[in-house]
Tab-separated table of all heavy atoms in Angstrom:
chain	number	residue	atom	x	y	z
A	170	PHE	N	5.843	31.107	-7.673
A	170	PHE	CA	4.409	30.898	-7.820
A	170	PHE	C	3.657	31.229	-6.540
A	170	PHE	O	2.525	31.701	-6.570
A	170	PHE	CB	4.108	29.457	-8.235
A	170	PHE	CG	3.196	29.400	-9.421
A	170	PHE	CD1	3.668	28.963	-10.629
A	170	PHE	CD2	1.883	29.820	-9.329
A	170	PHE	CE1	2.844	28.926	-11.736
A	170	PHE	CE2	1.056	29.787	-10.427
A	170	PHE	CZ	1.541	29.332	-11.637
A	171	SER	N	4.306	30.986	-5.378
A	171	SER	CA	3.672	31.303	-4.093
A	171	SER	C	3.382	32.795	-3.999
A	171	SER	O	2.447	33.211	-3.331
A	171	SER	CB	4.564	30.885	-2.923
A	171	SER	OG	4.744	29.492	-2.954
A	172	ARG	N	4.207	33.603	-4.674
A	172	ARG	CA	3.996	35.044	-4.604
A	172	ARG	C	3.179	35.538	-5.787
A	172	ARG	O	2.881	36.725	-5.881
A	172	ARG	CB	5.338	35.767	-4.529
A	172	ARG	CG	6.089	35.431	-3.234
A	172	ARG	CD	7.342	36.264	-3.100
A	172	ARG	NE	8.174	36.147	-4.281
A	172	ARG	CZ	8.476	37.152	-5.091
A	172	ARG	NH1	8.050	38.361	-4.837
A	172	ARG	NH2	9.214	36.941	-6.144
A	173	GLY	N	2.884	34.675	-6.727
A	173	GLY	CA	2.036	35.061	-7.843
A	173	GLY	C	2.776	35.616	-9.037
A	173	GLY	O	2.194	36.301	-9.874
A	174	LEU	N	4.082	35.330	-9.124
A	174	LEU	CA	4.855	35.739	-10.293
A	174	LEU	C	5.466	34.507	-10.947
A	174	LEU	O	5.790	33.541	-10.270
A	174	LEU	CB	6.009	36.664	-9.875
A	174	LEU	CG	5.715	38.126	-9.594
A	174	LEU	CD1	7.002	38.834	-9.195
A	174	LEU	CD2	5.072	38.812	-10.789
A	175	LEU	N	5.644	34.558	-12.250
A	175	LEU	CA	6.360	33.480	-12.938
A	175	LEU	C	7.857	33.599	-12.653
A	175	LEU	O	8.359	34.681	-12.317
A	175	LEU	CB	6.112	33.546	-14.447
A	175	LEU	CG	4.664	33.374	-14.900
A	175	LEU	CD1	4.579	33.368	-16.429
A	175	LEU	CD2	4.046	32.103	-14.327
A	176	ASP	N	8.536	32.477	-12.764
A	176	ASP	CA	9.968	32.416	-12.510
A	176	ASP	C	10.739	33.204	-13.572
A	176	ASP	O	10.258	33.393	-14.693
A	176	ASP	CB	10.401	30.944	-12.526
A	176	ASP	CG	11.639	30.680	-11.688
A	176	ASP	OD1	12.203	31.656	-11.112
A	176	ASP	OD2	12.041	29.511	-11.601
A	177	PHE	N	11.958	33.631	-13.206
A	177	PHE	CA	12.854	34.318	-14.150
A	177	PHE	C	13.655	33.263	-14.942
A	177	PHE	O	13.677	32.093	-14.561
A	177	PHE	CB	13.787	35.270	-13.397
A	177	PHE	CG	14.481	34.625	-12.216
A	177	PHE	CD1	15.571	33.777	-12.404
A	177	PHE	CD2	14.037	34.853	-10.918
A	177	PHE	CE1	16.210	33.178	-11.337
A	177	PHE	CE2	14.664	34.243	-9.839
A	177	PHE	CZ	15.759	33.404	-10.047
A	178	PRO	N	14.329	33.652	-16.033
A	178	PRO	CA	15.112	32.689	-16.832
A	178	PRO	C	16.352	32.210	-16.083
A	178	PRO	O	16.969	32.987	-15.344
A	178	PRO	CB	15.528	33.496	-18.069
A	178	PRO	CG	14.689	34.718	-18.074
A	178	PRO	CD	14.312	34.996	-16.650
A	179	HIS	N	16.680	30.942	-16.262
A	179	HIS	CA	17.858	30.342	-15.634
A	179	HIS	C	18.878	29.956	-16.698
A	179	HIS	O	18.503	29.533	-17.796
A	179	HIS	CB	17.459	29.092	-14.842
A	179	HIS	CG	16.496	29.383	-13.733
A	179	HIS	ND1	16.893	29.744	-12.479
A	179	HIS	CD2	15.148	29.384	-13.718
A	179	HIS	CE1	15.831	29.950	-11.719
A	179	HIS	NE2	14.751	29.745	-12.454
A	180	TYR	N	20.140	30.061	-16.358
A	180	TYR	CA	21.246	29.666	-17.247
A	180	TYR	C	22.295	28.927	-16.433
A	180	TYR	O	22.443	29.174	-15.244
A	180	TYR	CB	21.908	30.901	-17.873
A	180	TYR	CG	21.020	31.700	-18.791
A	180	TYR	CD1	20.206	32.721	-18.284
A	180	TYR	CD2	20.994	31.448	-20.157
A	180	TYR	CE1	19.381	33.464	-19.115
A	180	TYR	CE2	20.173	32.185	-21.000
A	180	TYR	CZ	19.371	33.188	-20.476
A	180	TYR	OH	18.562	33.927	-21.307
A	181	THR	N	23.020	28.029	-17.125
A	181	THR	CA	24.201	27.431	-16.507
A	181	THR	C	25.329	27.390	-17.539
A	181	THR	O	25.154	27.868	-18.670
A	181	THR	CB	23.895	26.024	-15.944
A	181	THR	OG1	25.036	25.549	-15.220
A	181	THR	CG2	23.537	25.038	-17.065
A	182	ARG	N	26.499	26.884	-17.173
A	182	ARG	CA	27.631	26.856	-18.090
A	182	ARG	C	27.344	25.945	-19.300
A	182	ARG	O	26.577	24.983	-19.153
A	182	ARG	CB	28.879	26.377	-17.341
A	182	ARG	CG	29.322	27.407	-16.302
A	182	ARG	CD	30.531	26.939	-15.548
A	182	ARG	NE	30.181	25.856	-14.620
A	182	ARG	CZ	31.045	25.320	-13.746
A	182	ARG	NH1	32.302	25.755	-13.669
A	182	ARG	NH2	30.657	24.347	-12.947
A	183	PRO	N	27.898	26.216	-20.443
A	183	PRO	CA	28.879	27.274	-20.722
A	183	PRO	C	28.222	28.631	-21.002
A	183	PRO	O	27.028	28.685	-21.308
A	183	PRO	CB	29.582	26.758	-21.976
A	183	PRO	CG	28.493	25.993	-22.689
A	183	PRO	CD	27.657	25.362	-21.613
A	184	ALA	N	29.005	29.689	-20.981
A	184	ALA	CA	28.494	31.046	-21.195
A	184	ALA	C	28.061	31.266	-22.637
A	184	ALA	O	27.228	32.135	-22.905
A	184	ALA	CB	29.553	32.073	-20.788
A	185	VAL	N	28.623	30.493	-23.565
A	185	VAL	CA	28.256	30.606	-24.983
A	185	VAL	C	28.012	29.216	-25.556
A	185	VAL	O	28.842	28.322	-25.374
A	185	VAL	CB	29.386	31.298	-25.797
A	185	VAL	CG1	28.938	31.512	-27.248
A	185	VAL	CG2	29.786	32.619	-25.160
A	186	VAL	N	26.855	29.021	-26.193
A	186	VAL	CA	26.571	27.773	-26.924
A	186	VAL	C	26.196	28.174	-28.348
A	186	VAL	O	25.142	28.773	-28.568
A	186	VAL	CB	25.390	26.994	-26.309
A	186	VAL	CG1	25.242	25.631	-26.999
A	186	VAL	CG2	25.547	26.813	-24.830
A	187	GLY	N	27.059	27.842	-29.305
A	187	GLY	CA	26.830	28.321	-30.673
A	187	GLY	C	26.769	29.831	-30.627
A	187	GLY	O	27.696	30.478	-30.157
A	188	ASP	N	25.622	30.394	-31.082
A	188	ASP	CA	25.512	31.863	-31.009
A	188	ASP	C	24.585	32.294	-29.876
A	188	ASP	O	24.105	33.411	-29.852
A	188	ASP	CB	25.063	32.440	-32.360
A	188	ASP	CG	23.703	31.908	-32.786
A	188	ASP	OD1	23.152	31.043	-32.065
A	188	ASP	OD2	23.205	32.357	-33.839
A	189	LEU	N	24.332	31.384	-28.930
A	189	LEU	CA	23.442	31.700	-27.801
A	189	LEU	C	24.272	32.031	-26.567
A	189	LEU	O	25.026	31.193	-26.072
A	189	LEU	CB	22.507	30.511	-27.523
A	189	LEU	CG	21.618	30.074	-28.688
A	189	LEU	CD1	20.845	28.816	-28.328
A	189	LEU	CD2	20.680	31.211	-29.078
A	190	ARG	N	24.120	33.257	-26.107
A	190	ARG	CA	24.940	33.746	-24.999
A	190	ARG	C	24.109	33.909	-23.730
A	190	ARG	O	22.939	34.241	-23.782
A	190	ARG	CB	25.538	35.111	-25.344
A	190	ARG	CG	26.361	35.154	-26.629
A	190	ARG	CD	26.940	36.563	-26.852
A	190	ARG	NE	27.739	36.997	-25.690
A	190	ARG	CZ	29.014	36.647	-25.508
A	190	ARG	NH1	29.645	35.895	-26.385
A	190	ARG	NH2	29.656	37.073	-24.436
A	191	VAL	N	24.738	33.699	-22.582
A	191	VAL	CA	24.138	34.034	-21.294
A	191	VAL	C	24.151	35.562	-21.168
A	191	VAL	O	25.149	36.194	-21.513
A	191	VAL	CB	24.948	33.384	-20.141
A	191	VAL	CG1	24.442	33.863	-18.788
A	191	VAL	CG2	24.881	31.861	-20.242
A	192	PRO	N	23.047	36.172	-20.733
A	192	PRO	CA	23.019	37.632	-20.591
A	192	PRO	C	24.202	38.135	-19.745
A	192	PRO	O	24.510	37.566	-18.706
A	192	PRO	CB	21.687	37.898	-19.891
A	192	PRO	CG	20.808	36.742	-20.293
A	192	PRO	CD	21.743	35.572	-20.389
A	193	ASP	N	24.838	39.200	-20.207
A	193	ASP	CA	26.026	39.743	-19.551
A	193	ASP	C	25.819	40.016	-18.069
A	193	ASP	O	26.709	39.782	-17.268
A	193	ASP	CB	26.474	41.044	-20.247
A	193	ASP	CG	27.167	40.757	-21.577
A	193	ASP	OD1	27.716	39.625	-21.723
A	193	ASP	OD2	27.157	41.637	-22.454
A	194	VAL	N	24.621	40.505	-17.726
A	194	VAL	CA	24.385	40.904	-16.336
A	194	VAL	C	24.630	39.723	-15.381
A	194	VAL	O	25.125	39.919	-14.273
A	194	VAL	CB	22.957	41.479	-16.153
A	194	VAL	CG1	21.886	40.444	-16.515
A	194	VAL	CG2	22.738	41.975	-14.721
A	195	LEU	N	24.331	38.501	-15.828
A	195	LEU	CA	24.484	37.336	-14.940
A	195	LEU	C	25.949	36.959	-14.749
A	195	LEU	O	26.298	36.216	-13.829
A	195	LEU	CB	23.705	36.132	-15.497
A	195	LEU	CG	22.186	36.315	-15.601
A	195	LEU	CD1	21.522	35.056	-16.160
A	195	LEU	CD2	21.589	36.654	-14.229
A	196	LEU	N	26.809	37.444	-15.647
A	196	LEU	CA	28.253	37.159	-15.547
A	196	LEU	C	28.983	38.302	-14.851
A	196	LEU	O	30.183	38.224	-14.603
A	196	LEU	CB	28.849	36.964	-16.954
A	196	LEU	CG	28.127	35.959	-17.862
A	196	LEU	CD1	28.761	35.938	-19.251
A	196	LEU	CD2	28.140	34.559	-17.252
A	197	SER	N	28.230	39.376	-14.530
A	197	SER	CA	28.860	40.612	-14.062
A	197	SER	C	29.342	40.527	-12.624
A	197	SER	O	30.222	41.270	-12.207
A	197	SER	CB	27.863	41.769	-14.178
A	197	SER	OG	26.820	41.596	-13.194
Side-chain angles (χ1 to χ4, degrees):
F170 230 111
S171 298
R172 295 186 307 117
L174 281 180
L175 298 184
D176 206 358
F177 50 77
H179 299 272
Y180 296 88
T181 186
R182 292 179 288 185
V185 185
V186 187
D188 60 356
L189 302 175
R190 304 181 56 83
V191 173
D193 285 335
V194 61
L195 297 180
L196 308 176
S197 70

